[in-house]
Amino acid sequence: MTHLRPQMARALLAMACGIFAAVPASHAQDAAKDYPARPIRFIVAQTAGGPTDLVARTLSERLGKSLGQPIIVENRPGAGSTIATNAVAHSAPDGYTILVATVQHIINPYLFVKLPYDSVKDFAPITVAAQAQLLFLCGSQVPVHDLKELVEYARKNPGKISWAHSGVGGTGHLAVELLQLETGIDVVKVPYKGTQPAMSDVLGGQVQCMSAATSSALPFIKSGKLRPLAIAGPKRSNLLPEVKTVGEQGFPRSEAPGPLALLAPAHTPAAIIDKLQSNITAIVRSQDVEDLLAAQGMESVGNTPAQFADYIQQEGQRLGDVIRKAGIKAE
């Protein structure tokens, strides 16, 4: 057999590489064109009945109709959301297994010494479907009426205010840590295993303040048993329009994130990601879904994958800094 000249060999090798490189791209385009061809799974990192589950089930019903395939919701709570997240990270990147996540996805790399996945490299962001609003609250016996008064009261009484939250490293915990860092107040943080036991002790007067989702606190606010001090987000709540945000009261760095978002395994074809994002955005921005979410203290979002990726990076830096300074570790 005649040996190929080096130049010709390199040319043929380059041509072959080009052909083989084109195959996956063509295959990905075909897969996206036919997608979805079977049911899709939403893996939810939280228990049934909460805000994340509500968003997942609201989307699954409507998205299933728009895509022409059923969407099955599976709740896999536990281990700080890492069980569900790890399952999706190691799923096939074909658009049929989607993670429905909270801010835990962003902060877990800072809470855990080691994770069985990479929160950034192993995932393709799709969109933030909604933002859950968090409230700063106090019991009716506490002599303050807004966050500015609470901060003044706490400064005069260092270490005498107790603050409940629903778990170490959760949004409620991060919210009070953000407030402490911004204001310099000293409060005693009391962790609970869930919102309800924390709220019970605030209602009973054993603990004075807490951070909680607007929807969870609303019945007790209306009955006068809890007093809302501030919305820990950028916008006021339609449910409590008279309650000012932390920024309006002079504490803009105390905004606590509440993203309810969707991610796919890394290397899922961009065309599939775009198809999911555009359909989800149309759903969450429809009037009936906006109204449904607003009634539960949530705001529709529907941003692009690039915007979501930027959000992950920015919030990771901000909240990671808080976690390091506060010395928070996953339990």
Side-chain angles (χ1 to χ4, degrees), residues 141 164 190 192 195-208:
Q141 76 281 4
V190 185
Y192 288 81
T195 298
Q196 294 310 315
M199 195 168 289
S200 294
D201 277 4
V202 176
L203 290 167
Q206 291 92 342
V207 184
Q208 292 167 300

Side-chain angles (χ1 to χ4, degrees), residues 49 84 198 254 274 320:
S254 295
D274 292 342

Side-chain angles (χ1 to χ4, degrees), residues 161-219:
I161 296 225
S162 53
W163 197 295
H165 61 79
S166 59
V168 173
T171 307
H173 185 191
L174 291 178
V176 66
E177 294 289 0
L178 285 162
L179 182 63
Q180 280 197 135
L181 283 172
E182 183 169 16
T183 63
I185 62 172
D186 177 21
V187 301
V188 178
K189 296 176 287 293
V190 185
Y192 288 81
K193 292 188 181 298
T195 298
Q196 294 310 315
M199 195 168 289
S200 294
D201 277 4
V202 176
L203 290 167
Q206 291 92 342
V207 184
Q208 292 167 300
C209 300
M210 74 175 298
S211 323
T214 304
S215 56
S216 301
L218 193 61

